Amino acid sequence: MAAVALFDPCYLQALRPGDAACARRVLEALGDTVTLIDGRCCGQPAFNSGFRTEARAVGRQLLRAARAHAAIVTASGSCTAMVRHYLPALWEPPRSAAAAAIASRFVDFPTYVARHPGFERLGLRLPGVVALHESCHSRRELGASAAVAAVLARIEGLEVREPAFAEECCGFGGTFAVKEPEVSVEMMRAKLEALAATGARVVVSPDYSCLAHLQAGAAGLGIQLEGWTLPELLARALE
């Protein structure tokens, strides 16, 4: 139906290299032609640490790779939020307007899928139970909660359980986990306890950064918890 670019961010390519294939499979099942933009950085780590020049440098490379595409689907809520809301402000006018024009074409994976005209025709079935952790970026900065819920509701046989205090952060926060490790660990511990209380052994999230944080903590605490991204979940559910 459409020609789209799939942005596979640097951390996802490094930590979850199979995720791009899952996202591509779903997009192609929707009828899209997919071009991969892989391994680039949105500039968020440098930006959050105060290195604006470095964030602008890597962000410029991403925008150049994306400018030929009408839609750039990103399987990371945090990277989508960075590009759309913060990256253009790193330039002065009129360059900021040009950057914003490209940045506005970036869309998070669940929002793109939920709005796709072919989504209702997609066969999705996966019996089982999962817990949902919706990342802060996805929920607050992108307003993607309804899209995430719509995508999950379309999977036949899947029971989705929401943990207590679902709106609270998992404690990762990018460089926050490095700057405030004690606070980060306690936030993670609370989130893991809430997820474990759902009885689910799989947690699904729009952001693998959160999942990596939670899985590492779960392993250290002896909690059985497997993390799936939304693209992985949908790829598993495709009939």
Side-chain angles (χ1 to χ4, degrees):
M1 288 193 178
V4 301
L6 172 62
F7 171 39
D8 184 31
C10 55
Y11 81 92
L12 259 176
Q13 187 185 58
L15 300 178
R16 196 84 157 193
D19 198 72
C22 292
R24 179 191 284 272
R25 185 183 173 201
V26 174
L27 294 175
E28 290 178 344
L30 289 168
D32 289 351
T33 301
V34 181
T35 300
L36 184 64
I37 301 175
D38 60 339
R40 294 183 184 273
C41 181
C42 66
Q44 185 174 189
F47 181 85
N48 287 348
S49 298
F51 296 102
R52 299 298 194 261
T53 299
E54 289 79 1
R56 184 168 57 246
V58 295
R60 180 186 294 112
Q61 295 303 313
L62 174 60
L63 293 178
R64 284 176 176 171
R67 63 184 172 188
H69 303 282
I72 304 95
V73 183
T74 308
S76 169
S78 62
C79 294
T80 309
M82 173 65 197
V83 173
R84 290 179 65 91
H85 299 315
Y86 302 104
L87 192 57
L90 294 177
W91 286 273
E92 297 293 333
R95 289 187 176 182
S96 58
I102 302 173
S104 67
R105 304 174 205 159
F106 281 73
V107 58
D108 59 287
F109 180 84
T111 296
Y112 182 83
V113 171
R115 294 177 179 174
H116 198 285
F119 182 52
E120 292 299 323
R121 299 191 298 272
L122 206 61
L124 296 168
R125 176 175 173 77
L126 187 66
V129 177
V130 300
L132 172 64
H133 169 65
E134 191 179 353
S135 68
C136 297
H137 287 95
S138 177
R139 182 189 294 273
R140 298 187 178 97
E141 294 203 320
L142 299 178
S145 297
V148 172
V151 168
L152 293 173
R154 280 276 291 110
I155 304 175
E156 184 180 350
L158 185 69
E159 179 185 348
V160 181
R161 298 176 182 174
E162 190 170 88
F165 311 110
E167 295 186 3
E168 292 190 1
C169 178
C170 70
F172 176 60
T175 54
F176 172 79
V178 178
K179 296 174 182 176
E180 302 288 346
E182 294 84 1
V183 179
S184 174
V185 166
E186 290 308 310
M187 293 172 72
M188 175 191 67
R189 191 190 305 274
K191 180 64 67 173
L192 285 172
E193 289 174 355
L195 289 168
T198 68
R201 293 295 174 261
V202 173
V203 58
V204 174
S205 178
D207 273 280
Y208 182 66
S209 53
C210 296
L211 290 179
H213 182 63
L214 291 170
Q215 282 187 283
L221 295 171
I223 299 173
Q224 289 187 337
L225 194 67
E226 184 177 352
W228 294 356
T229 62
L230 277 178
E232 180 178 358
L233 177 67
L234 289 183
R236 288 173 179 263
L238 279 173
E239 295 182 333

